[in-house]
Amino acid sequence: MSSRLEIYRVMVLAQAWEQALLRLIDENLAPASYHPGRGSEGSEVGATLALEDTDYLLYDHRGMAHIIAKGTSLTALFGDFLGNELGTTNGLGAGIVHVADPERGVLGQSGTLGGSQLIASGAALSAKLRKSGQVTMCFMGDGAANRGTFHEAANAAGAWKLPLVFVVQNNGWAVSTPTEHSTGGSFVDRAKGYGWHGVQVDGQNPFDVHDVAVEAVERARSNNGPTLIEVKTVRLTGHYLADPQQYRSAETKADASTKDPIVFARKLLHESGEATEDELEKIEAEARTQVDNARDEALKGNQPGQDLLTRYTYV
Amino acid sequence: MPRTITYSEAINEALREEMERDERVVLLGEDVGRMGGIFGVTHDLYERFGPDRVLDTPISEMFIVGGAVGLAITGLRPVAELQFADFIFNAADETYAKMSKWRYMHGGNFTVPMTLRLPEGATGGGGAEHSLCPEAALLAHPGAHIVVPSTPADAKGLLKAAIRDDNPVAFFEHKGLYATRGEVPDGEHLVEIGKADIKREGTDVTVVAWGRMVSRALEAAKNSDASVEVLDTRGLRPLDTDAIFASIEKTGRLVIAQEAPKTGGGASEIAAIVAEEAIDLLDAPIKRVGALDIPLPQNAMLEAMAIPTAAEIQVAIKEVLA
């Protein structure tokens, strides 16, 4: 259980990290094939902070907030995007798809979307067989939730009551295809069919997401089975950086912009008296400093040599 | 004293011994537990090791392979079974991308110590979707070993080695060999993965084969007037090219026999490697023997006509010697 201020701090950190990455991309130092995470910090941070260090995370490709919330080094994350030896993949992964951090339980991500669902189910089965008490959390978008992999992973996890949490980040768009065009029902309703617990929550409110996730993690850890959390969230920008979003009307874009979870959380913390303006500004300034230091450190990394090409093909 | 047991018993023994040796070894697959496998290969293991070590899965091939990757990267050593090797395509992405690439893609942060058992081959009427020898399906996707034993001794030794290997191993066992008997050494018996075996020595022509085609090549060799060397690759990756080159240096002639359709299989790859790197060792063009390029018919009589026989290998031997 994390405090609201901690949730806010990590969201701001993720936002600052992404802003710094976008500057690196502008400077042609990092590849532009990035899927911005602005808008989904509420679900990614709110949910991930319900995990312990030893729990497993399979993230999705939008933003870095879940990985940052799990505690992976910001320098290493920059290193991955810069494609240098300081990255978690030593310069091999170069970007969001394949960040890995076994020590923090970050098990990676499948480049074919949905592939992580099965691996998450296997990791949860592993924890159950080893009686380790670990919980596995797997993020996916509404698009990836329509892969057949979802069914096989969810069905096995339901049959065996695996300690698994699926977070379906429903931002309404699978690249350019609206959810109502790609699925006939609601994601949360699927939970019942697989014998899972299902809950829907507003991703604009990261504190509600956190409460729901804490419950789900507790349910998993006490062998009461998996939970599907459907987070209604927003994509504040395009699917990827160069996405002109011609498929999206001005109205839906404007409507999404009113649902920024960071703006929401800041306002709530301020109005409730939980944090003064000075305290909030201090958190934000510290996040920027932390990110700037990590960025400067990461820029010192060397590009890998040709020997890296074959190093990890076989053990 | 070596014992004479079946190929199926040899696999069962390998699984039992490795499960006894290492509690991280778990089995999963369709009907592998209570039933002991539809071919009986995993019999008694459920009774011996219990439901936490031998798991009957839903009919979900993507889960069997993808889930096994999840088990493997979190500290277990799963042996997953796809009921028929043909189902590798039902779990294609999980096999060629997740199992084979997870380690590489994530910069060596993980090992994927899993074995994927794949019962393959034509057995008399299995039909077009249950009779493949799809060993070559993984050739274009580096990251996993491709192992194919031809005898009970190799089946046991290679499977034990596969389970102990920190790399993922696709282990193709031929359904038509399950009942064949052969000598298996007593005690600890391991066979190194990627090391070819000369199953018969000869000086006139080399027949390279693997899986069930090894016994047909041996039969062809026995019936041939020539001195035929039979080299069992025991799989396709790692490929023991040194052993192949050494054999053709001696014989100067090469026949490659596979059960899969002739086009696009392991034989094509081996032929290409020899043509590229060792053509000067040959006194005659390479000859490939494989199944007809058709989906295998369900009619057992027609099926037998479609896949290579010992007689066809014998004809190929005669042709390269002509």
Side-chain angles (χ1 to χ4, degrees):
Chain A
M1 190 83 195
S2 295
S3 74
R4 292 183 176 210
L5 271 183
E6 174 64 5
I7 292 168
Y8 182 70
R9 184 188 74 77
V10 179
M11 287 201 300
V12 168
L13 191 62
Q15 181 188 19
W17 189 93
E18 183 165 291
Q19 284 168 344
L21 174 71
L22 296 181
R23 287 197 300 274
L24 290 174
I25 292 171
D26 280 345
E27 294 162 23
N28 277 329
L29 292 170
S33 55
Y34 181 68
H35 303 83
R38 287 293 290 117
S40 45
E41 295 90 347
S43 45
E44 295 181 2
V45 174
T48 306
L49 285 183
L51 296 174
E52 301 289 335
D53 285 354
T54 50
D55 289 334
Y56 294 129
L57 168 72
L58 287 118
Y59 51 92
D60 62 15
H61 67 287
R62 183 158 306 290
M64 301 294 282
H66 23 31
I67 304 170
I68 290 170
K70 198 72 172 75
T72 295
S73 144
L74 299 184
T75 303
L77 293 181
F78 279 125
D80 274 330
F81 280 84
L82 293 165
N84 73 32
E85 62 182 11
L86 296 179
T88 66
T89 58
N90 304 309
L92 202 57
I96 192 163
V97 173
H98 301 305
V99 172
D101 188 358
E103 289 189 3
R104 311 289 304 184
V106 181
L107 297 183
Q109 198 217 169
S110 166
T112 46
L113 299 189
S116 298
Q117 296 152 3
L118 297 158
I119 291 173
S121 210
L125 174 60
S126 169
K128 185 176 171 128
L129 294 176
R130 290 183 289 112
K131 299 183 174 58
S132 69
Q134 291 162 290
V135 174
T136 301
M137 184 177 281
C138 177
F139 283 82
M140 69 200 78
D142 47 287
N146 289 331
R147 287 285 316 284
T149 50
F150 180 97
H151 167 69
E152 294 202 4
N155 180 60
W160 299 340
K161 287 201 172 310
L162 299 183
L164 182 61
V165 179
F166 272 3
V167 182
V168 179
Q169 302 203 76
N170 183 357
N171 64 25
W173 296 96
V175 189
S176 68
T177 305
T179 307
E180 59 268 22
H181 184 79
S182 57
T183 187
S186 81
F187 295 101
V188 69
D189 287 345
R190 294 184 191 178
K192 195 171 179 222
Y194 294 114
W196 289 43
H197 186 79
V199 58
Q200 201 176 56
V201 62
D202 178 4
Q204 189 195 12
N205 186 334
F207 311 128
D208 282 356
V209 174
H210 186 63
D211 289 345
V212 160
V214 166
E215 261 183 49
V217 167
E218 175 53 30
R219 183 176 297 115
R221 214 181 300 284
S222 48
N223 291 320
N224 287 317
T227 303
L228 190 159
I229 302 174
E230 179 183 358
V231 185
K232 293 283 199 179
T233 184
V234 295
R235 205 180 73 196
L236 291 177
T237 64
H239 173 68
Y240 45 85
L241 279 182
D243 179 2
Q245 298 196 76
Q246 280 159 347
Y247 51 83
R248 204 174 180 187
S249 70
E251 293 79 40
T252 63
K253 275 192 269 191
D255 183 50
S257 69
T258 65
K259 292 179 176 160
D260 186 329
I262 295 179
V263 172
F264 174 91
R266 194 182 202 285
K267 191 159 175 279
L268 193 147
L269 288 168
H270 197 248
E271 286 177 359
S272 67
E274 283 169 83
T276 65
E277 182 64 25
D278 282 354
E279 285 166 335
L280 291 168
E281 280 178 12
K282 189 163 170 256
I283 287 173
E284 291 150 12
E286 279 175 3
R288 284 192 296 270
T289 304
Q290 200 182 335
V291 162
D292 286 347
N293 290 342
R295 173 187 178 277
D296 292 347
E297 189 61 30
L299 282 166
K300 293 178 195 160
N302 295 316
Q303 291 293 317
Q306 200 175 9
D307 65 314
L308 187 67
L309 264 180
T310 53
R311 194 185 304 163
Y312 301 120
T313 318
Y314 300 100
V315 176
Chain B
M1 271 290 287
R3 297 154 305 124
T4 298
I5 58 171
T6 65
Y7 186 90
S8 170
E9 278 299 325
I11 292 168
N12 184 272
E13 270 189 19
L15 294 171
R16 194 184 73 223
E17 288 176 14
E18 291 308 297
M19 291 180 82
E20 279 166 354
R21 190 187 61 84
D22 186 346
E23 64 178 16
R24 297 170 301 171
V25 178
V26 296
L27 311 187
L28 68 157
E30 292 157 12
D31 310 302
V32 298
R34 292 162 184 82
M35 187 187 191
I38 57 162
F39 302 110
V41 175
T42 53
H43 70 88
D44 291 340
L45 298 174
Y46 180 86
E47 288 71 18
R48 190 181 285 262
F49 296 102
D52 283 355
R53 302 283 305 279
V54 186
L55 290 89
D56 283 319
T57 66
I59 298 182
S60 299
E61 285 80 15
M62 293 191 293
F63 170 76
I64 291 169
V65 183
V69 175
L71 291 165
I73 63 173
T74 55
L76 295 175
R77 301 184 81 85
V79 182
E81 178 190 302
L82 290 179
Q83 206 156 58
F84 289 84
D86 310 61
F87 301 168
I88 200 169
F89 300 108
N90 296 65
D93 185 51
E94 285 63 43
T95 305
Y96 75 72
K98 304 302 162 288
M99 179 179 90
S100 302
K101 299 179 185 171
W102 202 260
R103 170 181 168 77
Y104 186 88
M105 290 192 297
H106 294 93
N109 274 293
F110 306 104
T111 56
V112 188
M114 65 178 281
T115 304
L116 183 59
R117 290 184 43 234
L118 297 146
E120 69 169 10
T123 51
E129 298 155 298
H130 292 77
S131 306
L132 294 181
C133 287
E135 309 111 356
L138 287 172
L139 271 183
H141 305 282
H145 295 331
I146 305 170
V147 170
V148 194
S150 71
T151 65
D154 282 357
K156 181 171 180 182
L158 286 168
L159 182 53
K160 284 168 71 83
I163 293 169
R164 295 185 196 189
D165 201 305
D166 282 337
N167 294 294
V169 179
F171 187 87
F172 291 87
E173 50 196 61
H174 201 294
K175 304 191 291 283
L177 294 176
Y178 279 145
T180 62
R181 303 178 72 79
E183 286 190 349
V184 176
D186 281 331
E188 181 85 323
H189 171 61
L190 290 162
V191 173
E192 187 184 337
I193 291 173
K195 199 163 166 33
D197 186 37
I198 304 288
K199 290 284 194 276
R200 176 194 168 107
E201 300 226 19
T203 53
D204 294 339
V205 54
T206 299
V207 180
V208 167
W210 56 94
R212 183 162 61 173
M213 284 304 121
V214 172
S215 54
R216 296 202 175 168
L218 288 168
E219 194 185 329
K222 201 174 68 187
N223 297 333
S224 173
D225 297 330
S227 169
V228 181
E229 178 141 305
V230 176
L231 184 145
D232 180 359
T233 61
R234 290 170 159 160
L236 296 177
R237 189 166 56 219
L239 184 67
D240 193 347
T241 49
D242 288 348
I244 295 170
F245 297 161
S247 180
I248 57 175
E249 188 165 20
K250 187 165 65 166
T251 62
R253 288 179 166 80
L254 177 61
V255 172
I256 312 165
Q258 66 178 26
E259 180 170 315
K262 191 169 166 184
T263 302
S268 306
E269 184 60 29
I270 292 169
I273 291 168
V274 171
E276 208 165 50
E277 297 180 35
I279 194 82
D280 53 333
L281 298 176
L282 292 178
D283 302 322
I286 301 165
K287 192 90 196 162
R288 285 178 298 151
V289 180
L292 293 179
D293 286 331
I294 55 170
L296 277 185
Q298 188 136 24
N299 180 319
M301 191 185 68
L302 293 174
E303 179 197 88
M305 293 179 191
I307 62 169
T309 59
E312 283 171 65
I313 298 171
Q314 207 181 325
V315 169
I317 290 167
K318 201 172 276 182
E319 284 172 356
V320 295
L321 283 165

